[in-house]
Amino acid sequence: MPKGDMAGDMAGDMAGDMGGDLAPKIDLQGVGKRFVTREREVEALQPIDLAIQDHEFVALVGPSGCGKSTILNMIAGLLPPSAGVVSYDGAAIGGLNRAVGYMTQKDTLLPWRTAADNVRIALELKCRAMPWDEANERVAQMLTLVGLTGFEKHYPAELSGGMRKRVALARTLIYEPETLLMDEPFGALDAQLKLLMLDQLQDLTRQRRMTVVFVTHDLGEAITLADRVVVFSARPGRIRAIRPVALPRPRDVFRIRFTEDFAHLHESLWDELKDEVTRGTEV
Amino acid sequence: MAAALSTPLGRTLARVALALIILAAWQYLPSANVRFWMSGPIEIVARLLVWLRDGSLWENVGATLFAMALGYAIGTATGIAIGLLLGLMPRLNRVLSPYIAALYAMPKIALAPLFVIVFGIGLESKVALVAITVFFLVLNATLDGVHNVDRDLTRALALMGATRLEVIRKVLIPATLPWIFTGMRIAVRYAFTNTLLAELIASNSGIGFMIEYYSGVFDATGTYAAILVLVIMSVGLTELLTLIETRLAHRGANR
Ligand SMILES: Nc1ncnc2c1ncn2[C@@H]1O[C@H](COP(=O)(O)OP(=O)(O)OP(=O)(O)O)[C@@H](O)[C@H]1O
Ligand SMILES: [Mg+2]
């Protein structure tokens, strides 16, 4: 655990929360998944153990098809594990897990709603009903945060891939779920925009003290944001390595890439990952 | 001559000339005994004027349109409601689907005599035939729509904490609407045809009834006059539908 190494104003109480042996927020015990389709059976994930603490930011990296999205789907309760138990707050997940906000790999924007209306949708629900003006104000804030002012009235079909991703991000962040599941949220963004988004995401998730499970292909992104990076092997997925990121917070997302600690961690993670990536492409 | 036909004015003039030639031939060529079943343009127009003056034209046009509209409204409303309901109850839908498929495939016009027995000759039997035709068209379109809703969208909303009703209101219905509209558009033409068929088979009012009645008493003039009214109504209906469709298509393109 990186708790000892955390700096910044948040570190004190975070260490307090994570100290002792508190039950993890998300707990995967012997969780495996095989998909049975008509012709064949695919073992997507070999049984793994992974515990994610409250307020922790965990990044999952691994070759394509190793079961990262499958793990998020199981934490969200969209998919039952075929072995083991996924628990949330100490209770096994059965059915939808509404405590999480899930930004899926493929965006699920409603095509008949404008960007602003898509972002607002969570605030229109009875479970968090609020006055129209207040909701609209928060929508405007959120769209500014993801750099989409001026595109409020555009429909998803009129937005670029990266813009749609940002609308989906805003839609998930706006209702501040206690746990955030994100599946390659910044894949379609250019390098500069990606850094801006990482910066906003760090601020927001640390401010609201969210628990985050973040899937990415970009090791730099993982190191910049995460408390721990989990490296998966090629399919069938297994945990190959777990590395704590001992970089102090808050992190300067624009400069941290040039520090020595970052470079070391990047190299050691890449060592773990590169065999798997090549193995993954051979299959 | 050919050059004159390529301008809009030339084309219009040619059309008018053609109509005049045909009407003149119809009016002046037939011999007396052919006249009995061919009538003539002047007689037909005169008959239309009589109907206009005594009000029977509007009465019967109104009767046809009213039966059609009522049947269409009932069929559409029940088709959408039951379509959504079955769409939300997949198990029940699977049980019922062979029956629905069989009824959908059956030409509803075969039920017309049955409706006459059950509802008698009049508005009710016409409305029943139109309603059941429209019902199955709209039901199938709605079911298709519900089945094609992207499950990822409904799950995403449920995960945000939406109740079942909110998922239906905010995702299921908006996603199904285009399918429902397509079904409703196709159903208009079926509603019109089936109103007429019902009137031709057995009824006591409407344009179909007029055609059937005047041909039954060997009144060619009355029959042609009623058919002319029918042609005007069909053209009007087609124009109206085209207008609505281009409006909708225009709005869709602007999104
Ligand atoms: N619904 C499904 N039915 C059958 N097989 C599936 C299903 N979903 C995923 N799989 C299989 O499970 C494996 C893991 O899929 P998953 O989507 O979790 O991979 P991933 O790590 O997210 O990959 P990527 O980085 O490309 O998104 C893949 O081999 C995939 O083919
Ligand atoms: Mg994936």
Side-chain angles (χ1 to χ4, degrees):
Chain A
M1 292 304 309
K3 58 195 172 211
D5 305 307
M6 274 200 199
D9 19 279
M10 220 67 103
D13 44 72
M14 284 197 63
D17 273 5
M18 295 196 319
D21 273 306
L22 281 181
K25 189 77 179 167
I26 304 166
D27 200 4
L28 286 77
Q29 291 177 337
V31 172
K33 182 73 195 177
R34 40 178 69 239
F35 290 100
V36 186
T37 49
R38 223 165 303 161
E39 310 92 47
R40 59 208 194 92
E41 212 176 295
V42 179
E43 181 163 36
L45 193 66
Q46 282 187 351
I48 61 160
D49 294 310
L50 181 65
I52 295 164
Q53 304 302 321
D54 211 1
H55 313 315
E56 197 184 7
F57 198 125
V58 172
L60 312 182
V61 298
S64 182
C66 72
K68 303 181 298 292
S69 302
T70 304
I71 291 176
L72 295 193
N73 284 335
M74 289 192 291
I75 297 174
L78 297 172
L79 211 60
S82 35
V85 183
V86 185
S87 345
Y88 189 88
D89 275 340
I93 297 172
L96 288 185
N97 179 4
R98 289 169 207 264
V100 306
Y102 187 5
M103 186 182 162
T104 45
Q105 192 163 10
K106 169 193 150 226
D107 75 67
T108 52
L109 300 178
L110 303 178
W112 56 86
R113 281 180 169 241
T114 61
D117 290 344
N118 262 295
V119 172
R120 191 180 43 235
I121 194 157
L123 304 183
E124 293 172 14
L125 303 177
K126 261 195 302 256
C127 57
R128 52 182 88 80
M130 62 171 62
W132 197 248
D133 292 347
E134 194 187 328
N136 282 337
E137 202 172 297
R138 282 176 61 177
V139 169
Q141 275 172 13
M142 224 50 230
L143 283 168
T144 313
L145 190 92
V146 297
L148 281 177
T149 24
F151 291 94
E152 295 85 353
K153 296 227 165 70
H154 285 61
Y155 288 91
E158 302 164 346
L159 298 173
S160 73
M163 289 165 128
R164 292 170 60 117
K165 284 267 178 190
R166 284 182 282 156
V167 175
L169 177 67
R171 188 183 72 165
T172 313
L173 290 178
I174 196 168
Y175 67 98
E176 297 175 0
E178 58 171 31
T179 294
L180 208 53
L181 309 178
M182 307 177 91
D183 204 340
E184 290 177 41
F186 306 130
L189 303 187
D190 63 67
Q192 283 72 31
L193 193 55
K194 189 187 276 192
L195 288 179
L196 285 171
M197 290 293 112
L198 292 183
D199 191 38
Q200 302 281 18
L201 186 65
Q202 169 175 253
D203 282 358
L204 211 85
T205 53
R206 293 304 94 182
Q207 248 170 48
R208 313 282 184 225
R209 314 195 63 212
M210 292 172 174
T211 307
V212 186
V213 187
F214 187 92
V215 169
T216 178
H217 279 140
D218 180 343
L219 279 180
E221 209 173 277
I223 298 168
T224 304
L225 290 177
D227 298 318
R228 279 192 297 163
V229 179
V230 184
V231 182
F232 283 84
S233 70
R235 200 188 67 215
R238 274 171 296 105
I239 294 179
R240 165 144 185 167
I242 301 185
R243 290 286 145 81
V245 182
L247 301 168
R249 285 192 190 274
R251 298 176 187 159
D252 180 346
V253 300
F254 303 98
R255 297 221 179 72
I256 199 161
R257 295 180 294 153
F258 307 115
T259 64
E260 214 165 297
D261 292 345
F262 185 98
H264 281 145
L265 197 53
H266 195 285
E267 200 172 322
S268 97
L269 283 170
W270 177 239
D271 281 341
E272 298 289 352
L273 194 56
K274 68 168 184 269
D275 311 341
E276 299 301 339
V277 173
T278 43
R279 229 158 54 78
T281 49
E282 276 160 17
V283 177
Chain B
M1 182 69 196
L5 284 182
S6 63
T7 68
L9 180 66
R11 255 195 310 271
T12 311
L13 286 177
R15 279 181 193 147
V16 171
L18 185 66
L20 286 177
I21 292 168
I22 291 173
L23 288 176
W26 187 0
Q27 188 69 49
Y28 297 109
L29 285 187
S31 59
N33 52 351
V34 175
R35 168 82 62 219
F36 174 75
W37 57 266
M38 272 202 75
S39 187
I42 293 174
E43 289 80 355
I44 291 170
V45 171
R47 181 67 66 88
L48 280 177
L49 290 175
V50 172
W51 287 350
L52 267 174
R53 236 174 289 123
D54 70 10
S56 61
L57 179 65
W58 296 127
E59 204 176 290
N60 285 294
V61 169
T64 298
L65 290 181
F66 182 66
M68 173 184 161
L70 193 59
Y72 183 78
I74 294 172
T76 307
T78 50
I80 295 172
I82 295 183
L84 288 176
L85 217 67
L86 285 181
L88 295 173
M89 298 192 280
R91 263 161 297 195
L92 180 62
N93 185 32
R94 268 198 290 278
V95 172
L96 294 181
S97 68
Y99 298 105
I100 294 176
L103 289 172
Y104 177 67
M106 186 189 74
K108 303 317 166 283
I109 189 67
L111 296 175
L114 182 70
F115 289 145
V116 171
I117 299 173
V118 178
F119 297 108
I121 290 176
L123 179 67
E124 289 89 340
S125 56
K126 285 196 259 181
V127 169
L129 181 70
V130 175
I132 198 157
T133 311
V134 172
F135 170 78
F136 278 104
L137 286 168
V138 174
L139 173 73
N140 258 31
T142 309
L143 280 174
D144 278 350
V146 173
H147 289 147
N148 276 286
V149 173
D150 186 349
R151 294 296 134 188
D152 290 340
L153 300 186
T154 53
R155 292 198 309 186
L157 215 72
L159 208 52
M160 285 179 196
T163 61
R164 206 168 149 69
L165 208 69
E166 281 171 328
V167 173
I168 294 171
R169 270 211 351 252
K170 291 189 185 294
V171 182
L172 216 76
I173 293 181
T176 310
L177 272 186
W179 298 77
I180 295 177
F181 283 146
T182 306
M184 285 174 67
R185 205 179 58 204
I186 294 167
V188 174
R189 294 174 209 279
Y190 278 85
F192 186 60
T193 312
N194 278 27
T195 314
L196 267 152
L197 288 174
E199 288 174 351
L200 286 170
I201 289 169
S203 72
N204 50 22
S205 65
I207 295 300
F209 165 72
M210 287 178 98
I211 295 172
E212 207 275 330
Y213 172 81
Y214 286 110
S215 62
V217 297
F218 300 103
D219 179 349
T221 307
T223 309
Y224 283 116
I227 290 174
L228 181 61
V229 173
L230 177 63
V231 169
I232 294 169
M233 285 172 77
S234 327
V235 171
L237 193 68
T238 306
E239 288 296 307
L240 189 72
L241 278 177
T242 316
L243 190 77
I244 294 171
E245 275 163 33
T246 45
R247 282 272 166 84
L248 286 179
H250 195 66
R251 258 197 11 211
N254 275 349
R255 287 190 21 166

